[in-house]
Amino acid sequence: DQWEKKRMRDGSNPPKGSKKKETQTVKKKPARPSIGENNRGNPLGNKKMEVSDDILPELCRRIGARGTNKRMKVINEFVKDHPETSLRQVTMKFSNITTKTLPACVPPPEKHAGRAFCFFLRPRYYHLLPEDERPDEWKKYAKEDEVVWKEECKTKAKDKAKKEQKIKDMMEDASKLQASETESMDVSLDFSTATSSVANTTGFLDGEETEDDEPVKKKKKKRKNH
């Protein structure tokens, strides 16, 4: 500024009360990481980064027939080891292939401190595990779980259809209401126009004389003079 230039020129101090402007340093916000531990984006472009059938057995093995209580650790490590997937897709797949209900062919897990939930691999996916990691009589429980899974799919399909029908009905009701309101406005406008027309006609008949009125009045006056 001016005082700084003058001080540099003749060595004078700035006047009292004047403060030297402090330079403000703008702090840049750290870049927000993408889904997963590394900001890697989608190497497949717009293609969905889903868990393919080729790597699904590996995910099943990481969960295991005895289950796991470290859900997010399993998901994050799987995403890190398989960049062609995404955290969202792996999380969805994890939810589809696991259950919180202990299968009858699996021994109860050891109790741990806290309220951690244990997620067990559904029996219908036991065939993807190595043979030495499959529970006893696993085929029997896999068939039973297959029936349960099909019933769950039917229930989900019915619920989805109900929701879609409900949305459709709400949209139809909204359209009918809008049409009814529009029709009411049109009727109101027509009624207002008709009322205004009648009022104008009545005023014309009451307030104005026709050409035939004047001779009649004159005739009445002449009769009175006689």
Side-chain angles (χ1 to χ4, degrees), residues 115-126:
R115 299 178 59 186
F117 293 102
C118 198
F119 296 87
F120 303 97
L121 184 68
R122 294 192 64 154
R124 66 186 299 265
Y125 293 99
Y126 284 162

Side-chain angles (χ1 to χ4, degrees), residues 54-66:
D54 296 336
I55 60 177
L56 180 59
E58 183 181 345
L59 180 60
C60 293
R61 188 173 184 181
R62 294 192 185 197
I63 298 168
R66 293 179 177 270

Side-chain angles (χ1 to χ4, degrees), residues 11-67:
S12 60
N13 295 324
K16 294 182 179 181
S18 64
K19 295 181 180 180
K20 185 178 179 180
K21 293 183 180 179
E22 297 179 356
T23 56
Q24 296 179 353
T25 56
V26 180
K27 293 182 179 180
K28 293 183 179 180
K29 294 182 179 180
R32 184 179 179 182
S34 62
I35 294 176
E37 294 185 1
N38 299 321
N39 188 1
R40 52 187 170 80
N42 186 352
L44 303 177
N46 293 329
K47 187 178 179 181
K48 189 180 292 185
M49 303 172 72
E50 59 187 6
V51 180
S52 63
D53 294 338
D54 296 336
I55 60 177
L56 180 59
E58 183 181 345
L59 180 60
C60 293
R61 188 173 184 181
R62 294 192 185 197
I63 298 168
R66 293 179 177 270

Side-chain angles (χ1 to χ4, degrees), residues 4 8 38 48-49 53 62 71 94 114 152 206 208:
E4 185 67 19
M8 292 291 292
N38 299 321
K48 189 180 292 185
M49 303 172 72
D53 294 338
R62 294 192 185 197
R71 173 174 168 268
F94 186 97
E152 290 176 355
D206 292 341
E208 296 183 5

Side-chain angles (χ1 to χ4, degrees), residues 10 16 33 68 92 96 102 104 110 157 166 205 207 224 226:
D10 55 12
K16 294 182 179 181
T68 178
M92 291 173 60
N96 291 335
L102 177 67
E110 296 180 0
K166 187 176 181 180
L205 293 175
K224 287 181 181 179
H226 287 294

Side-chain angles (χ1 to χ4, degrees), residues 27-166:
K27 293 182 179 180
K28 293 183 179 180
K29 294 182 179 180
R32 184 179 179 182
S34 62
I35 294 176
E37 294 185 1
N38 299 321
N39 188 1
R40 52 187 170 80
N42 186 352
L44 303 177
N46 293 329
K47 187 178 179 181
K48 189 180 292 185
M49 303 172 72
E50 59 187 6
V51 180
S52 63
D53 294 338
D54 296 336
I55 60 177
L56 180 59
E58 183 181 345
L59 180 60
C60 293
R61 188 173 184 181
R62 294 192 185 197
I63 298 168
R66 293 179 177 270
T68 178
N69 61 351
K70 298 178 180 179
R71 173 174 168 268
M72 289 312 301
K73 182 180 179 182
V74 172
I75 292 173
N76 285 326
E77 289 181 353
F78 190 83
V79 173
K80 183 178 179 182
D81 295 338
H82 295 278
E84 71 275 14
T85 62
S86 68
L87 182 63
R88 180 174 180 272
Q89 293 296 328
V90 176
T91 302
M92 291 173 60
K93 182 61 70 174
F94 186 97
S95 300
N96 291 335
I97 65 177
T98 58
T99 176
K100 291 181 181 180
T101 304
L102 177 67
C105 56
V106 176
E110 296 180 0
K111 292 184 178 180
H112 298 277
R115 299 178 59 186
F117 293 102
C118 198
F119 296 87
F120 303 97
L121 184 68
R122 294 192 64 154
R124 66 186 299 265
Y125 293 99
Y126 284 162
H127 69 282
L128 298 177
L129 295 174
E131 292 185 10
D132 58 340
E133 296 181 13
R134 298 170 187 170
D136 296 335
E137 299 182 355
W138 65 271
K139 290 183 179 180
K140 171 187 173 183
Y141 296 99
K143 288 180 180 179
E144 292 177 356
D145 189 44
E146 188 71 24
V147 175
V148 174
W149 178 77
K150 288 181 180 179
E151 290 296 325
E152 290 176 355
C153 291
K154 289 180 181 179
T155 304
K156 288 180 180 179
K158 288 180 180 179
D159 293 341
K160 184 179 180 181
K162 287 181 181 179
K163 289 181 181 179
E164 291 178 351
Q165 185 63 38
K166 187 176 181 180

